[in-house]
Amino acid sequence: MTDVRIRRLETLDERAIRGLSDVLIDCVEGGASVSFMFPMSHTKADAFWRSVADSVVRGERVVLIAEDSAGNIVGTVQVIWAQPENQPHRADVAKMLVHRRLRRQGVGAALLIAAERVALAAGKTLLVLDTASGDAERLYARQGWQRCGQIPDYALWPDGALVATTIFYKSLPGGAPDSATSRT
Ligand SMILES: CC(C)(COP(=O)(O)OP(=O)(O)OC[C@H]1O[C@@H](n2cnc3c(N)ncnc32)[C@H](O)[C@@H]1OP(=O)(O)O)[C@@H](O)C(=O)NCCC(=O)NCCS
């Protein structure tokens, strides 16, 4: 991976929000189905990242970034701790985004490895995500994630056409369900 480092943001300041918005806008303009419709704008992107910033402060999620040697954010991913008290071992992985100019260099893989490490360090043993991206599906499968299946017509592409989503999970090391206590 060319001169990109991954780090966790403890808080999202204005510079970080600007950088994260640039990445989000680039992904949506590239056609990614990641919650937003055309036309994408800085107003929508900044509002999203400000709400994420508040959530980080509340301790609900972790934001990881990939940054280049100049300190520019080129990618990001989130680990969201599950809220229900009966799922203390689970987290969701979301908003895996890499700027188009840095794709296919291992940034996504590095972000995913870092997200799994953060989750494991927090004692999480089960990760879940969904994706509408074929590129992302291959990334997750390569890293040992299990494909559960697809929900048709789940969301919209930015241009308004319906798109399916695919659900994945990964049990982290030491996290395989204990047959003595696991019930279906
Ligand atoms: C999905 C996404 C995050 C992947 O990011 P990425 O940084 O390109 O991922 P990687 O570089 O790790 O892997 C991508 C491909 O490049 C290849 N690759 C990685 N390093 C490489 C290198 N040094 N040289 C050549 N190829 C390389 C990988 O093998 C992989 O190949 P594949 O397309 O055959 O699967 C990115 O495409 C993206 O942001 N998409 C839009 C947003 C989106 O839909 N996100 C998913 C939300 S869940």
Side-chain angles (χ1 to χ4, degrees):
M1 193 173 52
T2 45
D3 233 1
V4 170
R5 76 166 178 148
I6 311 294
R7 72 181 173 94
R8 174 178 178 165
L9 290 181
E10 300 298 338
T11 56
L12 277 62
D13 60 15
E14 284 305 309
R15 183 169 188 270
I17 286 173
R18 209 164 41 245
L20 288 162
S21 289
D22 286 344
V23 172
L24 175 60
I25 290 168
D26 177 75
C27 288
V28 176
E29 288 180 344
S33 175
V34 286
S35 307
F36 295 91
M37 305 295 291
F38 293 146
M40 196 45 189
S41 67
H42 271 283
T43 307
K44 285 201 282 188
D46 289 358
F48 169 74
W49 288 112
R50 283 188 214 296
S51 74
V52 169
D54 293 343
S55 178
V56 168
V57 168
R58 289 193 297 270
E60 296 165 351
R61 68 184 70 204
V62 168
V63 174
L64 298 174
I65 57 164
E67 59 188 355
D68 66 17
S69 52
N72 300 309
I73 298 177
V74 299
T76 183
V77 69
Q78 296 177 34
V79 181
I80 304 171
W81 313 127
Q83 298 300 309
E85 66 177 2
N86 72 340
Q87 297 171 33
H89 58 296
R90 189 176 73 76
D92 294 321
V93 170
K95 289 291 178 295
M96 163 76 79
L97 308 167
V98 174
H99 196 288
R100 280 176 291 178
R101 78 186 142 78
L102 264 296
R103 287 200 193 150
R104 306 193 63 78
Q105 298 178 42
V107 176
L111 282 165
L112 188 56
I113 289 168
E116 291 175 13
R117 284 196 184 132
V118 162
L120 197 55
K124 305 297 176 183
T125 54
L126 178 65
L127 296 178
V128 177
L129 64 80
D130 71 273
T131 184
S133 157
D135 291 341
E137 280 196 41
R138 291 193 302 281
L139 171 66
Y140 301 131
R142 252 195 316 277
Q143 210 137 303
W145 286 65
Q146 300 299 311
R147 185 183 189 278
C148 299
Q150 200 172 61
I151 305 173
D153 296 348
Y154 184 79
L156 301 177
W157 291 112
D159 66 5
L162 283 162
V163 59
T165 200
T166 305
I167 314 288
F168 282 83
Y169 77 91
K170 183 169 183 177
S171 296
L172 297 178
D178 179 346
S179 58
T181 54
S182 175
R183 296 183 196 151
T184 52

